[in-house]
Amino acid sequence: MARVTDLFVAPEGSAPMEAVDRVEAVADGGLRGDRYCTGEGYYAPYDTCQVTLVAAEDVAEIEREAGIDLTDGQHRRNVVVAGVDLHDLLDHRFRVGEATLVGTRPRPPCAHVEQLADQEGVSRALGDGRGGICADVVEGGPVAVGDAVTDLGSRDRTDAVVERLRSEE
């Protein structure tokens, strides 16, 4: 079963990520106390994600392959999860703890991540699909380390609409 292994927030752009055990997801906002929820992220307002997720398996693989330890949040992602391919959550609604999110797009690494980590190769290591994904908060609620991550299915309702229209004929 997919689970949250770590949570991180940064109070403002470029500030170090802070590990937390629990955080409140805010509908249409992000994570309370995080830079992008308050509009103070480094890339705000042009390239923002309400919530970013990265796979624990990718973080471990980066350490094995490149010798780069990102477990302290230097990946600059908010939610670390284990047991799910995050790309399967793109265009899907999913629950994390008591919050509902929707996967919006892959989150590629950037030069800013490498500058803040002060480790050469961080950006390259997070490449090849290991940079995680962005998500929007659809329904707020608490999220804690250890919480389940549950795929609620595609947000594309085309099949359901077509089926309903056909049944009305």
Side-chain angles (χ1 to χ4, degrees):
M1 173 175 273
R3 296 236 173 253
V4 175
T5 63
D6 297 284
L7 292 167
F8 296 95
V9 295
E12 58 192 32
S14 303
M17 298 297 281
E18 299 172 2
V20 295
D21 292 326
R22 181 178 201 81
V23 68
E24 182 76 17
V26 178
D28 298 319
L31 300 181
R32 191 174 310 285
D34 187 65
R35 66 224 187 263
Y36 286 105
C37 189
T38 61
E40 298 176 33
Y42 180 79
Y43 289 107
Y46 304 107
D47 183 20
T48 62
C49 297
Q50 290 181 11
V51 179
T52 52
L53 297 93
V54 67
E57 295 85 356
D58 288 338
V59 173
E61 184 178 335
I62 288 168
E63 187 169 12
R64 278 191 312 275
E65 288 182 2
I68 299 172
D69 181 4
L70 300 176
T71 57
D72 63 354
Q74 289 188 60
H75 44 66
R76 309 290 298 167
R77 305 312 189 244
N78 302 118
V79 182
V80 182
V81 300
V84 64
D85 182 337
L86 290 174
H87 292 94
D88 289 345
L89 298 178
L90 291 173
D91 292 319
H92 280 232
R93 291 169 50 98
F94 57 96
R95 290 193 69 72
V96 180
E98 294 184 35
T100 302
L101 285 68
V102 62
T104 57
R105 64 186 172 103
R107 185 69 191 162
C110 62
H112 187 62
V113 169
E114 189 154 331
Q115 290 169 342
L116 293 177
D118 199 25
Q119 292 187 71
E120 189 174 327
V122 170
S123 185
R124 183 176 35 254
L126 285 167
D128 296 325
R130 296 188 293 203
I133 67 169
C134 296
D136 287 344
V137 181
V138 178
E139 295 175 22
V143 176
V145 171
D147 280 349
V149 177
T150 307
D151 188 348
L152 300 175
S154 175
R155 70 177 178 168
D156 177 5
R157 305 284 186 240
T158 305
D159 292 340
V161 171
V162 169
E163 183 70 30
R164 192 180 80 232
L165 290 172
R166 286 185 177 151
S167 69
E168 292 176 3
E169 291 179 353

Short mmCIF file of all heavy atoms in Angstrom, two decimals, residues 112-152:
data_model
loop_
_atom_site.label_atom_id
_atom_site.label_comp_id
_atom_site.label_asym_id
_atom_site.label_seq_id
_atom_site.Cartn_x
_atom_site.Cartn_y
_atom_site.Cartn_z
N HIS A 112 17.76 25.90 -9.73
CA HIS A 112 17.58 26.45 -8.39
C HIS A 112 17.70 25.36 -7.32
O HIS A 112 18.30 25.59 -6.26
CB HIS A 112 16.22 27.17 -8.29
CG HIS A 112 16.02 27.90 -7.02
ND1 HIS A 112 16.81 28.95 -6.63
CD2 HIS A 112 15.10 27.74 -6.04
CE1 HIS A 112 16.39 29.40 -5.46
NE2 HIS A 112 15.35 28.69 -5.08
N VAL A 113 17.17 24.18 -7.60
CA VAL A 113 17.27 23.06 -6.65
C VAL A 113 18.74 22.73 -6.40
O VAL A 113 19.16 22.53 -5.25
CB VAL A 113 16.51 21.81 -7.18
CG1 VAL A 113 16.82 20.59 -6.36
CG2 VAL A 113 15.02 22.07 -7.19
N GLU A 114 19.51 22.67 -7.45
CA GLU A 114 20.92 22.34 -7.31
C GLU A 114 21.68 23.44 -6.55
O GLU A 114 22.53 23.15 -5.71
CB GLU A 114 21.55 22.10 -8.68
CG GLU A 114 22.95 21.56 -8.57
CD GLU A 114 23.36 20.74 -9.78
OE1 GLU A 114 22.51 20.14 -10.44
OE2 GLU A 114 24.56 20.71 -10.02
N GLN A 115 21.36 24.69 -6.82
CA GLN A 115 22.02 25.80 -6.11
C GLN A 115 21.76 25.70 -4.61
O GLN A 115 22.68 25.87 -3.80
CB GLN A 115 21.51 27.14 -6.63
CG GLN A 115 21.95 27.47 -8.02
CD GLN A 115 21.20 28.67 -8.58
OE1 GLN A 115 20.14 29.06 -8.08
NE2 GLN A 115 21.74 29.26 -9.64
N LEU A 116 20.51 25.45 -4.24
CA LEU A 116 20.17 25.39 -2.82
C LEU A 116 20.75 24.16 -2.14
O LEU A 116 21.16 24.22 -0.98
CB LEU A 116 18.65 25.42 -2.63
CG LEU A 116 17.98 26.74 -3.02
CD1 LEU A 116 16.48 26.63 -2.85
CD2 LEU A 116 18.53 27.90 -2.21
N ALA A 117 20.79 23.04 -2.86
CA ALA A 117 21.34 21.81 -2.28
C ALA A 117 22.85 21.90 -2.15
O ALA A 117 23.44 21.23 -1.30
CB ALA A 117 20.97 20.61 -3.15
N ASP A 118 23.47 22.76 -2.96
CA ASP A 118 24.92 22.91 -2.97
C ASP A 118 25.64 21.58 -3.16
O ASP A 118 26.64 21.30 -2.53
CB ASP A 118 25.39 23.61 -1.69
CG ASP A 118 26.80 24.20 -1.83
OD1 ASP A 118 27.19 24.50 -2.98
OD2 ASP A 118 27.48 24.35 -0.81
N GLN A 119 25.03 20.75 -4.01
CA GLN A 119 25.62 19.46 -4.38
C GLN A 119 25.55 19.34 -5.90
O GLN A 119 24.47 19.38 -6.46
CB GLN A 119 24.84 18.28 -3.78
CG GLN A 119 24.90 18.16 -2.29
CD GLN A 119 24.23 16.88 -1.85
OE1 GLN A 119 24.76 15.80 -2.07
NE2 GLN A 119 23.06 17.01 -1.24
N GLU A 120 26.68 19.19 -6.52
CA GLU A 120 26.71 19.05 -7.96
C GLU A 120 26.00 17.76 -8.38
O GLU A 120 26.18 16.72 -7.77
CB GLU A 120 28.15 19.01 -8.46
CG GLU A 120 28.25 19.07 -9.96
CD GLU A 120 29.69 19.18 -10.43
OE1 GLU A 120 30.51 19.81 -9.72
OE2 GLU A 120 29.98 18.63 -11.50
N GLY A 121 25.15 17.86 -9.40
CA GLY A 121 24.47 16.70 -9.95
C GLY A 121 23.06 16.47 -9.44
O GLY A 121 22.39 15.55 -9.90
N VAL A 122 22.58 17.30 -8.52
CA VAL A 122 21.23 17.11 -7.97
C VAL A 122 20.19 17.24 -9.08
O VAL A 122 19.29 16.40 -9.20
CB VAL A 122 20.93 18.09 -6.82
CG1 VAL A 122 19.46 18.06 -6.44
CG2 VAL A 122 21.80 17.78 -5.63
N SER A 123 20.29 18.27 -9.88
CA SER A 123 19.32 18.48 -10.94
C SER A 123 19.32 17.31 -11.92
O SER A 123 18.27 16.80 -12.30
CB SER A 123 19.62 19.80 -11.67
OG SER A 123 18.63 20.08 -12.61
N ARG A 124 20.49 16.87 -12.33
CA ARG A 124 20.59 15.73 -13.25
C ARG A 124 20.03 14.46 -12.60
O ARG A 124 19.32 13.69 -13.23
CB ARG A 124 22.05 15.53 -13.67
CG ARG A 124 22.26 14.42 -14.67
CD ARG A 124 23.70 14.28 -15.15
NE ARG A 124 24.72 14.57 -14.15
CZ ARG A 124 25.48 15.68 -14.12
NH1 ARG A 124 25.33 16.60 -15.05
NH2 ARG A 124 26.37 15.88 -13.18
N ALA A 125 20.31 14.27 -11.32
CA ALA A 125 19.84 13.07 -10.61
C ALA A 125 18.31 13.03 -10.53
O ALA A 125 17.70 11.96 -10.58
CB ALA A 125 20.44 13.00 -9.22
N LEU A 126 17.68 14.20 -10.41
CA LEU A 126 16.22 14.27 -10.34
C LEU A 126 15.57 14.21 -11.72
O LEU A 126 14.35 14.21 -11.83
CB LEU A 126 15.78 15.55 -9.62
CG LEU A 126 15.94 15.56 -8.11
CD1 LEU A 126 15.77 16.97 -7.57
CD2 LEU A 126 15.00 14.58 -7.45
N GLY A 127 16.39 14.14 -12.77
CA GLY A 127 15.86 14.02 -14.13
C GLY A 127 15.37 12.62 -14.42
O GLY A 127 15.24 11.79 -13.52
N ASP A 128 15.07 12.35 -15.66
CA ASP A 128 14.60 11.03 -16.09
C ASP A 128 13.35 10.59 -15.34
O ASP A 128 13.21 9.43 -14.96
CB ASP A 128 15.70 9.98 -15.96
CG ASP A 128 16.88 10.26 -16.87
OD1 ASP A 128 16.64 10.78 -17.99
OD2 ASP A 128 18.01 9.96 -16.48
N GLY A 129 12.44 11.54 -15.08
CA GLY A 129 11.17 11.19 -14.45
C GLY A 129 11.23 11.04 -12.94
O GLY A 129 10.25 10.68 -12.32
N ARG A 130 12.40 11.35 -12.33
CA ARG A 130 12.52 11.19 -10.87
C ARG A 130 12.26 12.47 -10.10
O ARG A 130 12.43 12.51 -8.89
CB ARG A 130 13.90 10.64 -10.53
CG ARG A 130 14.12 9.25 -11.08
CD ARG A 130 15.38 8.61 -10.59
NE ARG A 130 16.56 9.31 -11.10
CZ ARG A 130 17.77 8.76 -11.21
NH1 ARG A 130 17.96 7.52 -10.83
NH2 ARG A 130 18.78 9.45 -11.67
N GLY A 131 11.83 13.52 -10.80
CA GLY A 131 11.58 14.79 -10.14
C GLY A 131 10.23 14.87 -9.47
O GLY A 131 9.92 15.84 -8.79
N GLY A 132 9.39 13.86 -9.65
CA GLY A 132 8.09 13.84 -9.01
C GLY A 132 7.01 14.52 -9.83
O GLY A 132 7.15 14.73 -11.04
N ILE A 133 5.93 14.89 -9.16
CA ILE A 133 4.78 15.52 -9.83
C ILE A 133 4.27 16.69 -9.01
O ILE A 133 4.56 16.83 -7.82
CB ILE A 133 3.63 14.52 -10.07
CG1 ILE A 133 2.99 14.05 -8.75
CG2 ILE A 133 4.09 13.35 -10.92
CD1 ILE A 133 1.68 13.28 -8.92
N CYS A 134 3.48 17.52 -9.68
CA CYS A 134 2.74 18.61 -9.04
C CYS A 134 1.30 18.14 -8.83
O CYS A 134 0.79 17.33 -9.61
CB CYS A 134 2.71 19.84 -9.93
SG CYS A 134 4.30 20.59 -10.25
N ALA A 135 0.67 18.68 -7.81
CA ALA A 135 -0.73 18.36 -7.56
C ALA A 135 -1.43 19.59 -6.99
O ALA A 135 -0.81 20.42 -6.33
CB ALA A 135 -0.85 17.19 -6.59
N ASP A 136 -2.72 19.68 -7.27
CA ASP A 136 -3.57 20.72 -6.68
C ASP A 136 -4.41 20.09 -5.59
O ASP A 136 -4.82 18.93 -5.69
CB ASP A 136 -4.50 21.32 -7.74
CG ASP A 136 -3.76 22.23 -8.72
OD1 ASP A 136 -2.62 22.63 -8.44
OD2 ASP A 136 -4.35 22.52 -9.77
N VAL A 137 -4.70 20.88 -4.57
CA VAL A 137 -5.55 20.42 -3.47
C VAL A 137 -7.01 20.70 -3.83
O VAL A 137 -7.42 21.84 -3.98
CB VAL A 137 -5.19 21.11 -2.14
CG1 VAL A 137 -6.07 20.59 -1.01
CG2 VAL A 137 -3.71 20.92 -1.82
N VAL A 138 -7.79 19.62 -3.99
CA VAL A 138 -9.21 19.73 -4.33
C VAL A 138 -10.04 19.86 -3.06
O VAL A 138 -10.94 20.69 -2.97
CB VAL A 138 -9.67 18.49 -5.14
CG1 VAL A 138 -11.14 18.56 -5.46
CG2 VAL A 138 -8.85 18.36 -6.42
N GLU A 139 -9.73 19.05 -2.07
CA GLU A 139 -10.39 19.11 -0.76
C GLU A 139 -9.31 19.09 0.30
O GLU A 139 -8.46 18.20 0.32
CB GLU A 139 -11.31 17.90 -0.56
CG GLU A 139 -12.48 17.85 -1.51
CD GLU A 139 -13.31 16.58 -1.35
OE1 GLU A 139 -13.24 15.94 -0.28
OE2 GLU A 139 -13.98 16.22 -2.32
N GLY A 140 -9.35 20.07 1.18
CA GLY A 140 -8.34 20.18 2.22
C GLY A 140 -8.53 19.15 3.32
O GLY A 140 -9.56 18.47 3.40
N GLY A 141 -7.52 19.05 4.17
CA GLY A 141 -7.56 18.15 5.31
C GLY A 141 -6.16 17.86 5.79
O GLY A 141 -5.18 18.19 5.14
N PRO A 142 -6.06 17.22 6.95
CA PRO A 142 -4.75 16.91 7.50
C PRO A 142 -4.05 15.78 6.73
O PRO A 142 -4.70 14.86 6.24
CB PRO A 142 -5.04 16.49 8.94
CG PRO A 142 -6.47 16.08 8.95
CD PRO A 142 -7.14 16.86 7.86
N VAL A 143 -2.74 15.90 6.65
CA VAL A 143 -1.88 14.89 6.04
C VAL A 143 -0.75 14.64 7.03
O VAL A 143 -0.17 15.59 7.56
CB VAL A 143 -1.30 15.39 4.69
CG1 VAL A 143 -0.34 14.37 4.11
CG2 VAL A 143 -2.41 15.72 3.71
N ALA A 144 -0.44 13.37 7.27
CA ALA A 144 0.60 13.03 8.23
C ALA A 144 1.50 11.94 7.69
O ALA A 144 1.10 11.15 6.82
CB ALA A 144 -0.04 12.57 9.55
N VAL A 145 2.72 11.90 8.20
CA VAL A 145 3.63 10.81 7.86
C VAL A 145 2.95 9.50 8.25
O VAL A 145 2.36 9.39 9.33
CB VAL A 145 4.98 10.99 8.60
CG1 VAL A 145 5.84 9.75 8.45
CG2 VAL A 145 5.70 12.23 8.10
N GLY A 146 2.98 8.53 7.36
CA GLY A 146 2.34 7.23 7.58
C GLY A 146 0.98 7.11 6.95
O GLY A 146 0.44 6.01 6.82
N ASP A 147 0.38 8.24 6.53
CA ASP A 147 -0.94 8.20 5.90
C ASP A 147 -0.90 7.45 4.57
O ASP A 147 0.11 7.46 3.86
CB ASP A 147 -1.46 9.62 5.63
CG ASP A 147 -2.05 10.29 6.86
OD1 ASP A 147 -2.25 9.61 7.88
OD2 ASP A 147 -2.29 11.51 6.78
N ALA A 148 -2.03 6.86 4.24
CA ALA A 148 -2.18 6.15 2.97
C ALA A 148 -2.33 7.14 1.81
O ALA A 148 -2.85 8.24 1.98
CB ALA A 148 -3.38 5.23 3.02
N VAL A 149 -1.89 6.70 0.64
CA VAL A 149 -2.11 7.42 -0.62
C VAL A 149 -2.98 6.51 -1.47
O VAL A 149 -2.58 5.38 -1.78
CB VAL A 149 -0.78 7.73 -1.34
CG1 VAL A 149 -1.04 8.41 -2.67
CG2 VAL A 149 0.14 8.56 -0.45
N THR A 150 -4.19 6.98 -1.82
CA THR A 150 -5.15 6.14 -2.52
C THR A 150 -5.60 6.80 -3.82
O THR A 150 -6.13 7.91 -3.80
CB THR A 150 -6.40 5.91 -1.62
OG1 THR A 150 -5.97 5.41 -0.36
CG2 THR A 150 -7.36 4.94 -2.27
N ASP A 151 -5.40 6.10 -4.92
CA ASP A 151 -5.82 6.59 -6.24
C ASP A 151 -7.34 6.48 -6.32
O ASP A 151 -7.92 5.41 -6.14
CB ASP A 151 -5.16 5.75 -7.33
CG ASP A 151 -5.39 6.29 -8.74
OD1 ASP A 151 -6.23 7.19 -8.92
OD2 ASP A 151 -4.71 5.78 -9.65
N LEU A 152 -8.01 7.60 -6.61
CA LEU A 152 -9.47 7.64 -6.72
C LEU A 152 -9.94 7.55 -8.16
O LEU A 152 -11.13 7.57 -8.43
CB LEU A 152 -10.02 8.92 -6.07
CG LEU A 152 -9.70 9.08 -4.59
CD1 LEU A 152 -10.19 10.44 -4.09
CD2 LEU A 152 -10.29 7.95 -3.77
#
